[in-house]
mmCIF file of all heavy atoms in Angstrom:
data_model
loop_
_atom_site.group_PDB
_atom_site.id
_atom_site.type_symbol
_atom_site.label_atom_id
_atom_site.label_comp_id
_atom_site.label_asym_id
_atom_site.label_seq_id
_atom_site.Cartn_x
_atom_site.Cartn_y
_atom_site.Cartn_z
ATOM 1 N N LYS A 13 33.625 15.659 28.828
ATOM 2 C CA LYS A 13 33.831 15.382 30.248
ATOM 3 C C LYS A 13 34.548 14.034 30.399
ATOM 4 O O LYS A 13 33.952 13.023 30.715
ATOM 5 C CB LYS A 13 32.509 15.373 30.989
ATOM 6 C CG LYS A 13 31.630 16.578 30.758
ATOM 7 C CD LYS A 13 32.212 17.812 31.405
ATOM 8 C CE LYS A 13 31.268 18.988 31.308
ATOM 9 N NZ LYS A 13 31.744 20.097 30.576
ATOM 10 N N VAL A 14 35.837 14.041 30.156
ATOM 11 C CA VAL A 14 36.616 12.800 30.168
ATOM 12 C C VAL A 14 36.798 12.267 31.585
ATOM 13 O O VAL A 14 36.491 11.107 31.869
ATOM 14 C CB VAL A 14 37.998 13.011 29.484
ATOM 15 C CG1 VAL A 14 38.872 11.772 29.615
ATOM 16 C CG2 VAL A 14 37.814 13.374 28.021
ATOM 17 N N VAL A 15 37.312 13.089 32.484
ATOM 18 C CA VAL A 15 37.653 12.612 33.806
ATOM 19 C C VAL A 15 36.433 12.095 34.562
ATOM 20 O O VAL A 15 36.472 11.014 35.156
ATOM 21 C CB VAL A 15 38.356 13.748 34.624
ATOM 22 C CG1 VAL A 15 38.598 13.318 36.037
ATOM 23 C CG2 VAL A 15 39.655 14.131 33.943
ATOM 24 N N SER A 16 35.315 12.802 34.475
ATOM 25 C CA SER A 16 34.131 12.381 35.218
ATOM 26 C C SER A 16 33.487 11.137 34.610
ATOM 27 O O SER A 16 32.626 10.528 35.224
ATOM 28 C CB SER A 16 33.122 13.514 35.328
ATOM 29 O OG SER A 16 32.749 13.953 34.052
ATOM 30 N N ASN A 17 33.892 10.761 33.398
ATOM 31 C CA ASN A 17 33.318 9.595 32.723
ATOM 32 C C ASN A 17 34.382 8.536 32.388
ATOM 33 O O ASN A 17 34.181 7.742 31.467
ATOM 34 C CB ASN A 17 32.606 10.006 31.423
ATOM 35 C CG ASN A 17 31.415 10.890 31.742
ATOM 36 O OD1 ASN A 17 30.484 10.470 32.403
ATOM 37 N ND2 ASN A 17 31.454 12.123 31.281
ATOM 38 N N VAL A 18 35.436 8.502 33.165
ATOM 39 C CA VAL A 18 36.538 7.586 32.864
ATOM 40 C C VAL A 18 36.104 6.117 32.892
ATOM 41 O O VAL A 18 36.625 5.292 32.126
ATOM 42 C CB VAL A 18 37.729 7.817 33.829
ATOM 43 C CG1 VAL A 18 37.438 7.340 35.243
ATOM 44 C CG2 VAL A 18 39.011 7.168 33.283
ATOM 45 N N ARG A 19 35.116 5.770 33.693
ATOM 46 C CA ARG A 19 34.618 4.396 33.746
ATOM 47 C C ARG A 19 34.120 3.949 32.373
ATOM 48 O O ARG A 19 34.347 2.824 31.943
ATOM 49 C CB ARG A 19 33.528 4.257 34.780
ATOM 50 C CG ARG A 19 32.976 2.843 34.876
ATOM 51 C CD ARG A 19 31.937 2.675 35.970
ATOM 52 N NE ARG A 19 32.610 2.801 37.251
ATOM 53 C CZ ARG A 19 32.130 3.477 38.270
ATOM 54 N NH1 ARG A 19 30.977 4.080 38.194
ATOM 55 N NH2 ARG A 19 32.805 3.532 39.410
ATOM 56 N N ASP A 20 33.431 4.845 31.665
ATOM 57 C CA ASP A 20 32.931 4.509 30.308
ATOM 58 C C ASP A 20 34.054 4.374 29.298
ATOM 59 O O ASP A 20 33.874 3.697 28.277
ATOM 60 C CB ASP A 20 31.945 5.569 29.831
ATOM 61 C CG ASP A 20 30.661 5.566 30.661
ATOM 62 O OD1 ASP A 20 30.299 4.505 31.176
ATOM 63 O OD2 ASP A 20 30.073 6.651 30.792
ATOM 64 N N LEU A 21 35.192 5.001 29.537
ATOM 65 C CA LEU A 21 36.326 4.889 28.643
ATOM 66 C C LEU A 21 37.056 3.556 28.865
ATOM 67 O O LEU A 21 37.455 2.893 27.901
ATOM 68 C CB LEU A 21 37.304 6.039 28.853
ATOM 69 C CG LEU A 21 36.712 7.432 28.612
ATOM 70 C CD1 LEU A 21 37.741 8.491 28.919
ATOM 71 C CD2 LEU A 21 36.204 7.576 27.195
ATOM 72 N N VAL A 22 37.184 3.183 30.101
ATOM 73 C CA VAL A 22 37.892 1.932 30.446
ATOM 74 C C VAL A 22 37.028 0.712 30.174
ATOM 75 O O VAL A 22 37.493 -0.292 29.641
ATOM 76 C CB VAL A 22 38.337 1.958 31.925
ATOM 77 C CG1 VAL A 22 38.986 0.638 32.308
ATOM 78 C CG2 VAL A 22 39.285 3.100 32.161
ATOM 79 N N HIS A 23 35.747 0.822 30.541
ATOM 80 C CA HIS A 23 34.799 -0.298 30.342
ATOM 81 C C HIS A 23 33.633 0.238 29.518
ATOM 82 O O HIS A 23 32.644 0.729 30.073
ATOM 83 C CB HIS A 23 34.304 -0.804 31.697
ATOM 84 C CG HIS A 23 35.407 -1.237 32.593
ATOM 85 N ND1 HIS A 23 36.151 -2.369 32.402
ATOM 86 C CD2 HIS A 23 35.922 -0.663 33.709
ATOM 87 C CE1 HIS A 23 37.064 -2.486 33.348
ATOM 88 N NE2 HIS A 23 36.938 -1.450 34.136
ATOM 89 N N PRO A 24 33.683 0.115 28.191
ATOM 90 C CA PRO A 24 32.597 0.612 27.342
ATOM 91 C C PRO A 24 31.274 -0.023 27.759
ATOM 92 O O PRO A 24 31.211 -1.216 28.030
ATOM 93 C CB PRO A 24 32.996 0.154 25.930
ATOM 94 C CG PRO A 24 34.442 -0.118 25.989
ATOM 95 C CD PRO A 24 34.746 -0.522 27.404
ATOM 96 N N PRO A 25 30.227 0.782 27.814
ATOM 97 C CA PRO A 25 28.908 0.233 28.219
ATOM 98 C C PRO A 25 28.429 -0.811 27.203
ATOM 99 O O PRO A 25 28.456 -0.580 26.002
ATOM 100 C CB PRO A 25 27.999 1.444 28.241
ATOM 101 C CG PRO A 25 28.783 2.571 27.719
ATOM 102 C CD PRO A 25 30.178 2.187 27.557
ATOM 103 N N VAL A 26 28.029 -1.970 27.721
ATOM 104 C CA VAL A 26 27.575 -3.025 26.833
ATOM 105 C C VAL A 26 26.217 -2.752 26.229
ATOM 106 O O VAL A 26 25.870 -3.322 25.202
ATOM 107 C CB VAL A 26 27.537 -4.409 27.550
ATOM 108 C CG1 VAL A 26 28.950 -4.839 27.938
ATOM 109 C CG2 VAL A 26 26.647 -4.346 28.765
ATOM 110 N N ASP A 27 25.458 -1.812 26.809
ATOM 111 C CA ASP A 27 24.158 -1.466 26.227
ATOM 112 C C ASP A 27 24.322 -0.587 24.979
ATOM 113 O O ASP A 27 23.368 -0.368 24.262
ATOM 114 C CB ASP A 27 23.238 -0.788 27.267
ATOM 115 C CG ASP A 27 23.861 0.474 27.830
ATOM 116 O OD1 ASP A 27 25.072 0.500 28.029
ATOM 117 O OD2 ASP A 27 23.087 1.419 28.084
ATOM 118 N N GLU A 28 25.521 -0.065 24.754
ATOM 119 C CA GLU A 28 25.780 0.754 23.594
ATOM 120 C C GLU A 28 26.747 -0.003 22.675
ATOM 121 O O GLU A 28 27.935 0.221 22.668
ATOM 122 C CB GLU A 28 26.373 2.084 24.002
ATOM 123 C CG GLU A 28 25.448 2.926 24.816
ATOM 124 C CD GLU A 28 25.965 4.298 25.033
ATOM 125 O OE1 GLU A 28 26.476 4.924 24.084
ATOM 126 O OE2 GLU A 28 25.863 4.788 26.160
ATOM 127 N N VAL A 29 26.199 -0.949 21.945
ATOM 128 C CA VAL A 29 27.037 -1.771 21.113
ATOM 129 C C VAL A 29 26.922 -1.303 19.663
ATOM 130 O O VAL A 29 25.839 -1.259 19.085
ATOM 131 C CB VAL A 29 26.589 -3.257 21.202
ATOM 132 C CG1 VAL A 29 27.471 -4.139 20.341
ATOM 133 C CG2 VAL A 29 26.649 -3.704 22.652
ATOM 134 N N TYR A 30 28.056 -0.926 19.131
ATOM 135 C CA TYR A 30 28.110 -0.484 17.724
ATOM 136 C C TYR A 30 28.871 -1.573 16.982
ATOM 137 O O TYR A 30 30.021 -1.833 17.265
ATOM 138 C CB TYR A 30 28.780 0.877 17.636
ATOM 139 C CG TYR A 30 27.972 1.910 18.370
ATOM 140 C CD1 TYR A 30 28.260 2.252 19.681
ATOM 141 C CD2 TYR A 30 26.849 2.430 17.803
ATOM 142 C CE1 TYR A 30 27.467 3.154 20.387
ATOM 143 C CE2 TYR A 30 26.039 3.350 18.497
ATOM 144 C CZ TYR A 30 26.365 3.692 19.773
ATOM 145 O OH TYR A 30 25.556 4.565 20.466
ATOM 146 N N ARG A 31 28.210 -2.219 16.051
ATOM 147 C CA ARG A 31 28.781 -3.363 15.354
ATOM 148 C C ARG A 31 29.271 -3.000 13.964
ATOM 149 O O ARG A 31 28.598 -2.252 13.238
ATOM 150 C CB ARG A 31 27.755 -4.495 15.222
ATOM 151 C CG ARG A 31 27.353 -5.099 16.537
ATOM 152 C CD ARG A 31 28.496 -5.978 17.039
ATOM 153 N NE ARG A 31 28.123 -6.483 18.371
ATOM 154 C CZ ARG A 31 28.990 -6.595 19.360
ATOM 155 N NH1 ARG A 31 30.232 -6.226 19.212
ATOM 156 N NH2 ARG A 31 28.619 -7.080 20.508
ATOM 157 N N ALA A 32 30.441 -3.540 13.660
ATOM 158 C CA ALA A 32 31.000 -3.356 12.320
ATOM 159 C C ALA A 32 30.190 -4.162 11.341
ATOM 160 O O ALA A 32 29.764 -5.290 11.639
ATOM 161 C CB ALA A 32 32.452 -3.786 12.320
ATOM 162 N N VAL A 33 29.966 -3.615 10.161
ATOM 163 C CA VAL A 33 29.266 -4.292 9.079
ATOM 164 C C VAL A 33 30.205 -4.321 7.888
ATOM 165 O O VAL A 33 30.758 -3.276 7.508
ATOM 166 C CB VAL A 33 27.962 -3.538 8.740
ATOM 167 C CG1 VAL A 33 27.250 -4.183 7.563
ATOM 168 C CG2 VAL A 33 27.038 -3.449 9.943
ATOM 169 N N ALA A 34 30.368 -5.482 7.294
ATOM 170 C CA ALA A 34 31.236 -5.598 6.132
ATOM 171 C C ALA A 34 30.687 -4.778 4.956
ATOM 172 O O ALA A 34 29.473 -4.744 4.744
ATOM 173 C CB ALA A 34 31.407 -7.046 5.729
ATOM 174 N N VAL A 35 31.565 -4.159 4.249
ATOM 175 C CA VAL A 35 31.198 -3.416 3.048
ATOM 176 C C VAL A 35 31.670 -4.217 1.863
ATOM 177 O O VAL A 35 32.867 -4.495 1.723
ATOM 178 C CB VAL A 35 31.863 -2.007 3.051
ATOM 179 C CG1 VAL A 35 31.565 -1.287 1.736
ATOM 180 C CG2 VAL A 35 31.395 -1.173 4.216
ATOM 181 N N GLU A 36 30.747 -4.633 1.080
ATOM 182 C CA GLU A 36 31.080 -5.460 -0.097
ATOM 183 C C GLU A 36 31.375 -4.612 -1.300
ATOM 184 O O GLU A 36 30.663 -3.662 -1.595
ATOM 185 C CB GLU A 36 29.923 -6.419 -0.403
ATOM 186 C CG GLU A 36 29.604 -7.378 0.739
ATOM 187 C CD GLU A 36 30.771 -8.299 1.107
ATOM 188 O OE1 GLU A 36 31.538 -8.678 0.208
ATOM 189 O OE2 GLU A 36 30.900 -8.606 2.305
ATOM 190 N N GLY A 37 32.445 -4.975 -2.005
ATOM 191 C CA GLY A 37 32.793 -4.263 -3.223
ATOM 192 C C GLY A 37 31.906 -4.703 -4.383
ATOM 193 O O GLY A 37 31.309 -5.788 -4.339
ATOM 194 N N LYS A 38 31.794 -3.904 -5.413
ATOM 195 C CA LYS A 38 30.966 -4.252 -6.587
ATOM 196 C C LYS A 38 31.908 -4.664 -7.706
ATOM 197 O O LYS A 38 33.066 -4.236 -7.798
ATOM 198 C CB LYS A 38 30.116 -3.060 -6.997
ATOM 199 C CG LYS A 38 29.105 -2.670 -5.933
ATOM 200 C CD LYS A 38 28.289 -1.500 -6.395
ATOM 201 C CE LYS A 38 27.296 -1.093 -5.311
ATOM 202 N NZ LYS A 38 26.552 0.096 -5.644
ATOM 203 N N GLU A 39 31.395 -5.483 -8.563
ATOM 204 C CA GLU A 39 32.172 -5.948 -9.704
ATOM 205 C C GLU A 39 32.267 -4.831 -10.748
ATOM 206 O O GLU A 39 31.736 -3.759 -10.595
ATOM 207 C CB GLU A 39 31.515 -7.184 -10.300
ATOM 208 C CG GLU A 39 31.453 -8.352 -9.324
ATOM 209 C CD GLU A 39 32.830 -8.761 -8.771
ATOM 210 O OE1 GLU A 39 33.780 -8.783 -9.548
ATOM 211 O OE2 GLU A 39 32.903 -9.038 -7.569
ATOM 212 N N ALA A 40 32.898 -5.131 -11.866
ATOM 213 C CA ALA A 40 33.080 -4.148 -12.928
ATOM 214 C C ALA A 40 31.759 -3.868 -13.650
ATOM 215 O O ALA A 40 30.870 -4.698 -13.708
ATOM 216 C CB ALA A 40 34.099 -4.671 -13.911
ATOM 217 N N ASP A 41 31.663 -2.653 -14.189
ATOM 218 C CA ASP A 41 30.509 -2.266 -14.980
ATOM 219 C C ASP A 41 30.472 -3.124 -16.249
ATOM 220 O O ASP A 41 31.472 -3.151 -16.986
ATOM 221 C CB ASP A 41 30.673 -0.774 -15.350
ATOM 222 C CG ASP A 41 29.520 -0.207 -16.153
ATOM 223 O OD1 ASP A 41 28.870 -0.986 -16.909
ATOM 224 O OD2 ASP A 41 29.267 0.982 -16.033
ATOM 225 N N PRO A 42 29.362 -3.802 -16.510
ATOM 226 C CA PRO A 42 29.299 -4.687 -17.671
ATOM 227 C C PRO A 42 29.486 -3.973 -18.998
ATOM 228 O O PRO A 42 30.031 -4.529 -19.951
ATOM 229 C CB PRO A 42 27.899 -5.327 -17.599
ATOM 230 C CG PRO A 42 27.223 -4.778 -16.413
ATOM 231 C CD PRO A 42 28.118 -3.797 -15.750
ATOM 232 N N GLY A 43 29.086 -2.733 -19.080
ATOM 233 C CA GLY A 43 29.174 -1.996 -20.346
ATOM 234 C C GLY A 43 30.583 -1.513 -20.647
ATOM 235 O O GLY A 43 31.060 -1.592 -21.767
ATOM 236 N N THR A 44 31.295 -1.020 -19.626
ATOM 237 C CA THR A 44 32.616 -0.433 -19.860
ATOM 238 C C THR A 44 33.755 -1.284 -19.335
ATOM 239 O O THR A 44 34.892 -1.108 -19.739
ATOM 240 C CB THR A 44 32.700 0.968 -19.202
ATOM 241 O OG1 THR A 44 32.592 0.782 -17.780
ATOM 242 C CG2 THR A 44 31.627 1.891 -19.681
ATOM 243 N N GLY A 45 33.433 -2.188 -18.394
ATOM 244 C CA GLY A 45 34.496 -2.978 -17.784
ATOM 245 C C GLY A 45 35.226 -2.220 -16.673
ATOM 246 O O GLY A 45 36.147 -2.754 -16.038
ATOM 247 N N ASP A 46 34.827 -0.973 -16.415
ATOM 248 C CA ASP A 46 35.478 -0.170 -15.368
ATOM 249 C C ASP A 46 34.999 -0.703 -13.999
ATOM 250 O O ASP A 46 33.851 -1.109 -13.825
ATOM 251 C CB ASP A 46 35.075 1.298 -15.488
ATOM 252 C CG ASP A 46 35.650 1.957 -16.737
ATOM 253 O OD1 ASP A 46 36.662 1.430 -17.236
ATOM 254 O OD2 ASP A 46 35.067 2.950 -17.179
ATOM 255 N N ALA A 47 35.880 -0.606 -13.031
ATOM 256 C CA ALA A 47 35.522 -1.025 -11.666
ATOM 257 C C ALA A 47 34.516 -0.045 -11.108
ATOM 258 O O ALA A 47 34.585 1.174 -11.353
ATOM 259 C CB ALA A 47 36.774 -1.033 -10.800
ATOM 260 N N LEU A 48 33.524 -0.563 -10.377
ATOM 261 C CA LEU A 48 32.490 0.258 -9.759
ATOM 262 C C LEU A 48 32.858 0.517 -8.285
ATOM 263 O O LEU A 48 33.391 -0.359 -7.629
ATOM 264 C CB LEU A 48 31.149 -0.443 -9.813
ATOM 265 C CG LEU A 48 30.559 -0.637 -11.226
ATOM 266 C CD1 LEU A 48 29.305 -1.498 -11.179
ATOM 267 C CD2 LEU A 48 30.241 0.708 -11.834
#
């Protein structure tokens, strides 16, 4: 229901906050040296 909810598209509701979380990479496998 896009048209009837256009307000939520233009102004996202602040009570629904979805936050980005950094994804950390892992170092190489100590046994093989291959990237994990």
Side-chain angles (χ1 to χ4, degrees):
K13 308 291 187 242
V14 174
V15 175
S16 59
N17 295 299
V18 72
R19 181 177 290 138
D20 293 330
L21 301 176
V22 176
H23 304 288
V26 294
D27 59 322
E28 295 189 44
V29 181
Y30 298 95
R31 294 286 177 220
V33 177
V35 175
E36 299 299 326
K38 296 181 181 175
E39 299 303 319
D41 182 330
T44 64
D46 294 336
L48 293 173

